[in-house]
Amino acid sequence: MITWRRVAADDFPLVAQWLSASHVHRWWHHEFTAEAVERDFGASARGEEPGEDWLISVDGEPVGLMQRSRIVDYDEDLEELSAAVEVPDHAVTLDYFIGDMGQVGRGLGSRMIRWAVDRTWEDHPKATAIIIPVVAANIASWRALEKAGATRIAEADMEPDNPVDEPMHYVYRFDRPEIPDRA
């Protein structure tokens, strides 16, 4: 059973541990000192910014992190994505990782994504699309998106998180499902 809850300050040591793991650090290329984690996740944990950081658990055990935000709330993201694809007004984006190496390669990524997509339709009723750019070299990530039902809608050069990566990104999209008319 997959559950999620907002990341809290008490989770920062675990988030730092995950960010330092080679399989996460390769793609997130994020500082993982206590100060950096507080700087980068503290405002979300305190509800002071529009982005959401979620701790993902499977059967009660924390396994990863999911970020969710409306694209329009971050000017830089909106500008970069809008240069590649049409971004609807209330579109949402996701970012994610599996921190627990023992859970990698077991289909959990696509399950986490599918679950987050379903929750996003509930939590963000105005959202018509979820748009997710992924660096093209991150094969596991874009395969998880495809297994979760995302459609690749574009290829675009974007600033990668890790400077060793080429700028080529694949852009994926989920569209809100149509609700059948029950007339």
Side-chain angles (χ1 to χ4, degrees), residues 19 21 77 167 177:
L19 289 169
D77 294 343

Side-chain angles (χ1 to χ4, degrees), residues 39-51:
R39 177 193 68 221
D40 296 334
F41 294 89
S44 174
R46 293 185 301 274
E48 297 171 357
E49 74 168 78

Side-chain angles (χ1 to χ4, degrees), residues 102-178:
Q103 295 290 337
V104 172
R106 303 173 82 191
L108 179 59
S110 58
R111 288 178 35 221
M112 281 175 39
I113 293 164
R114 183 75 246 161
W115 194 83
V117 167
D118 291 343
R119 282 293 306 264
T120 297
W121 302 140
E122 292 174 29
D123 297 345
H124 294 267
K126 292 182 179 180
T128 58
I130 299 170
I131 301 173
I132 306 168
V134 177
V135 69
N138 192 344
I139 296 167
S141 185
W142 56 260
R143 282 190 177 158
L145 285 165
E146 290 175 357
K147 287 177 186 174
T151 301
R152 186 183 300 180
I153 59 170
E155 295 180 6
D157 284 346
M158 298 177 162
E159 188 68 32
D161 288 338
N162 191 331
V164 303
D165 288 315
E166 297 293 324
M168 175 57 71
H169 281 65
Y170 296 147
V171 182
Y172 284 87
R173 181 175 171 139
F174 292 91
D175 288 302
R176 179 179 287 280
E178 295 289 323

